[in-house]
Amino acid sequence: MQVNSVEKLFEKTLAESDLSVKQQRVLKASLELFSAQGFDRTTSSEIAARAGVAEGTVFKQFKTKQGILNAILQPFIVQVVPMAFEEFFQEVKVNTFANFETFITYLIKDRMTFAMENQRQIKIFIQEIIRNPQLIELVGDRWQLLIQGNLSRIFDRFKQNGEIIAWSTSRIMQYMASTMMGYVMPRIIMETDQSFDIDQASQEAVAFLMRGLAPSN
């Protein structure tokens, strides 16, 4: 099972952008520092030192520290998250799932692992999206795009086979996402993975979802 690094995916989006090499280094250094010590505790001099540029270069393009954060979040939502999901879908394609329980066991464990491996970067995103209604709207739009296509077809097959309730894919994914977040969100916010058994947590989540998504008699 492959778990993708948010930082590596972010580096890829930077390399494909129109930003200069120095600007890319500023954003990469900022993400590393924001993740390690928090947005408020990171100074422009620390960003400049990590990026290997003059302090004036830090704000030449991005103007303020908030501008730097916005420049990180925009590609995170528009490119990094879809890339992470697309790579996950590619993994799903090469696996044969005998039934719905096998499928969601794989999905839940894979995404829980992804979240815990990238918890510091995800925490930045969570904190900012709470404060910024525009980001919430953008995430909602991207979410709808992500659940259409490949994922929707997978769920349609299980619905047609009578394995799960005939809800919309969007409603099923909201139900599954909220269940997963109940396990990982407290640990991401508190920045701890101590005593968190992903195998046990994913088994509990799957048992709950199998009952909740069972077809009506």
Side-chain angles (χ1 to χ4, degrees):
M1 182 182 297
Q2 177 185 0
V3 177
N4 308 291
S5 164
V6 166
E7 287 190 356
K8 288 183 179 179
L9 293 176
F10 183 66
E11 286 180 27
K12 183 177 180 180
T13 66
L14 291 180
E16 295 172 351
S17 72
D18 295 329
L19 296 172
S20 68
V21 173
K22 286 186 178 180
Q23 290 166 351
Q24 292 179 35
R25 279 157 48 188
V26 167
L27 292 184
K28 181 176 180 294
S30 298
L31 177 60
E32 292 171 354
L33 289 168
F34 293 164
S35 300
Q37 59 193 41
F39 174 77
D40 293 331
R41 291 190 294 271
T42 299
T43 65
S44 59
S45 59
E46 289 175 320
I47 294 172
R50 176 69 67 92
V53 301
E55 192 168 351
T57 303
V58 173
F59 296 127
K60 184 177 181 181
Q61 170 72 20
F62 307 109
K63 309 305 181 187
T64 64
K65 198 168 70 169
Q66 183 64 44
I68 293 174
L69 181 58
N70 292 340
I72 291 172
L73 291 174
Q74 181 73 16
F76 186 95
I77 296 171
V78 176
Q79 294 171 277
V80 172
V81 172
M83 285 169 61
F85 271 90
E86 180 58 31
E87 291 189 9
F88 170 70
F89 292 147
Q90 293 305 316
E91 293 179 36
V92 169
K93 284 182 180 179
V94 299
N95 286 275
T96 301
F97 301 103
N99 50 47
F100 181 67
E101 184 173 5
T102 304
F103 170 67
I104 64 166
T105 297
Y106 179 89
L107 185 152
I108 296 291
K109 184 175 181 180
D110 183 277
R111 294 300 87 184
M112 279 187 176
T113 303
F114 175 85
M116 296 310 297
E117 289 289 333
N118 297 278
Q119 59 178 301
R120 288 185 173 179
Q121 294 80 7
I122 293 173
K123 182 179 179 180
I124 297 172
F125 171 70
I126 293 171
Q127 290 174 328
E128 188 61 20
I129 198 173
I130 291 172
R131 297 196 295 259
N132 192 334
Q134 291 181 333
L135 286 178
I136 295 176
E137 184 177 348
L138 182 57
V139 169
D141 292 340
R142 301 307 298 182
W143 172 260
Q144 290 301 320
L145 290 174
L146 288 171
I147 64 176
Q148 294 171 2
N150 292 333
L151 191 58
S152 184
R153 286 192 289 271
I154 292 173
F155 281 103
D156 286 345
R157 175 165 62 88
F158 291 124
K159 283 185 278 188
Q160 291 169 3
N161 291 343
E163 296 184 55
I164 57 175
I165 195 168
W167 288 350
S168 67
T169 298
S170 176
R171 184 178 178 185
I172 292 173
M173 283 302 300
Q174 288 176 351
Y175 191 65
M176 293 176 64
S178 63
T179 301
M180 283 189 287
M181 287 191 292
Y183 282 93
V184 301
M185 284 283 283
R187 291 164 178 83
I188 289 176
I189 298 300
M190 296 173 62
E191 293 190 16
T192 177
D193 58 2
Q194 294 180 353
S195 71
F196 182 53
D197 187 331
I198 291 180
D199 286 331
Q200 180 179 342
S202 59
Q203 289 172 10
E204 292 173 358
V206 168
F208 175 76
L209 289 167
M210 287 301 295
R211 287 193 294 269
L213 295 174
S216 303
N217 295 326

